[in-house]
Amino acid sequence: MRRTMSMAGIAVAAVMLLASPRVQAQAKAGPIRLIVDASDAPQKILHVKMAIPVTPGALTLYYPEWIPGEHMPDGPIIEVAGMKFSGGGKTIPWRRDLVEMFSLHLDIPSEVTMLNAEFDFLLSAPAGGFSAGASATNSLDVLSWNQVLLYPKGFNIHDILFEPSLKLPSGWKYGTALPGGKQNGDMIDFSPVALNTLVDSPVLAGRYFREIQLTPGQNPPHFMDIAADSEAALAMTPETEMHFHQLVAEAAALFGSRHYRDYHFLLTLSDDVAHFGLEHHESSDDRTAERSLIDETELLAFAGLLPHEYVHSWNGKYRRPEGLVTPDYQVPMKDDLLWVYEGLTEYLGSLVLTARSGLLTQEQSMDELGGLVALYQHRPGRDWRPLQDTADAAPFLYNATEDWSNWRRGTDFYEEGELLWLDVDATLRGLTKNKKSMNDFCLVFHGGPSGTPALKPYTFDDVVATLNGLAPYDWTGFLRARLDGTSTKTPIEAIENSGWKLVYSEEPNGMEELENAIGKRSNMTLTIGAVVSDDGMVEDVIHGGPAYNAGIGPGMKIIAVAGKQYSPEEMKRAIEGSKSSTTPIQLIVANGAQFQTRSVDYHGGLRSPHLVRDSSRPDYLSEILKPMTPVAGATQSAQ
Ligand SMILES: [Zn+2]
């Protein structure tokens, strides 16, 4: 996941006009005046006023349903309250459509040419979820424009002009890719923009705010706009900051061009908002823990977030699967190519650019990758649900809980997609004696002229054609086997083809330990086959594994292990001792209000995954993780 334009809106519209003559005949709508009053955001409520030019007769207004980058119909319509319409001094009634429930029907009286709408948006969402999750605290607010507007039916979102204004709590500063912001007191008036640009350009505002220029004196400019719940959280060491400068330089080297006028990392540091990232063409909405920039462990835990969302400007926004290019926010999106949209972004962002920018060391990246391969080697859901279906079913798999995730599978097109693209990279290198790689793919597929945002849709065949242009091969067969097959060898082959092997030992995996510490849980997938929180709650049980065979399921609570009160340390001791013990590990488990004894027949001791070099094959992985640009300093060399 992770999203600007006014001139850009026109530029994209021009591309669409050329591509589709039908659009040419389409009328334009607006300008629609939109005033969002966020001065009560700390109180968890936004006030919205709209003035919509109308003609008399039947009118249908939409509330955005399918949110770009979220790949599902999760527009937070439930948080709309106090909705009232008026025109010519009179109230105008409305009624919801009984089938298309994000549609409101009105009958505009004959003398009315301007419809006034007003409503509140309730920021009462729980902390979880994506942009519909918690977005405001006492000290900051992330405004997603799709949540605070209605738009008329019958127009392409490129053809509806909005004139947005935003009122902030007194003294707050803000960052956004939305162009032309003029601040007058606490009110900001932005330039008129097309609806798609508006929705693609969230605003981050807060009391504690810092702007860092990542490419000072260069064009295009890059900003880190940071809002935090405390002044102290805005600090970072020069070394940490250098990695973000390096990220911009490495992305330029990888893609060869930039399809934006400026770029804003909108970074929210708070423990009281939903944690996720949402991509935009000229910015990203990145939300993480308050101490992420100043606490070493937190910094490592969020290392891959900004690189992932940044890659989406090329892979997801500029190049977008055809099925995700829809005329408005009501037409369902088709998620079948998310293994490219998200899988390739996970590979290029969370793995490749995170390592190349130094946000993780090469060793940490290897540890993380080893953990990922091991996890997918122990994912029985791969026996029945093909990787392709995890993408096809994404609109509901995004909402799946962690329990049984190994058997149900979740949005695995991210992580298994990452491994699939590592295998593509290694295979490209193998076929061409290391003369061609995914670096070349990115130049061809994501390159082209730099400048204002443009949209170039693609199909499966376009991906295959690009690969064939680099190294002729049965790429259709290669990809389809890994996408449509079950129990595929993708995880292990990706590692082996890049010159490494997966081994298990008692020695802990550093990144796995870090993830356990951050998540306050023990991931024992590789041993007893369970994930257990530090207070004993069973979060997941591997289908067919030792804990599963002992009758343990998610939602149960482990009270005691080997006769002692449950703690992660006692559990670890019991697993360590299992190697020399002939008796099962005895657990007392609460299933609701009832207690039971469970015997887990496991004797393998502690096991952690590690990658070791396979000297019989070329080491592509180390090369993939190496920076393309000089590391020293904050300047860039590419372009
Ligand atoms: Zn993403």
Side-chain angles (χ1 to χ4, degrees), residues 178-191:
L178 196 59
K182 289 193 182 65
Q183 195 159 5
N184 188 357
D186 296 321
M187 186 67 110
I188 311 151
D189 296 317
F190 295 99
S191 302

Side-chain angles (χ1 to χ4, degrees), residues 301-429:
F302 109 105
L305 181 65
L306 267 55
H308 176 108
E309 303 309 334
Y310 188 35
V311 164
H312 270 315
S313 180
W314 292 265
N315 190 51
K317 291 300 172 182
Y318 169 52
R319 297 307 309 267
R320 198 178 310 166
E322 212 170 53
L324 295 181
V325 182
T326 53
D328 61 36
Y329 303 122
Q330 318 309 122
V331 174
M333 294 175 182
K334 296 186 180 112
D335 286 345
D336 56 316
L337 286 172
L338 283 185
W339 57 274
V340 189
Y341 184 118
E342 294 294 359
L344 179 54
T345 301
E346 194 71 2
Y347 176 64
L348 297 174
S350 309
L351 179 67
V352 175
L353 288 181
T354 301
R356 290 183 188 174
S357 61
L359 284 159
L360 289 181
T361 63
Q362 196 165 112
E363 192 188 338
Q364 288 164 338
S365 294
M366 295 267 193
D367 271 359
E368 195 169 70
L369 191 60
L372 191 63
V373 174
L375 190 76
Y376 276 79
Q377 290 288 92
H378 293 77
R379 204 151 176 85
R382 300 180 73 253
D383 294 345
W384 73 272
R385 194 196 286 275
L387 179 60
Q388 179 65 60
D389 190 58
T390 68
D392 297 348
F396 53 82
L397 286 177
Y398 270 112
N399 295 316
T401 52
E402 276 298 300
D403 54 281
W404 294 122
S405 59
N406 71 89
W407 183 227
R408 177 197 298 113
R409 303 194 82 176
T411 51
D412 288 5
F413 51 87
Y414 282 83
E415 285 92 351
E416 194 173 325
E418 174 184 332
L419 298 172
L420 170 63
W421 284 100
L422 172 60
D423 202 2
V424 171
D425 204 342
T427 303
L428 270 175
R429 289 170 191 262

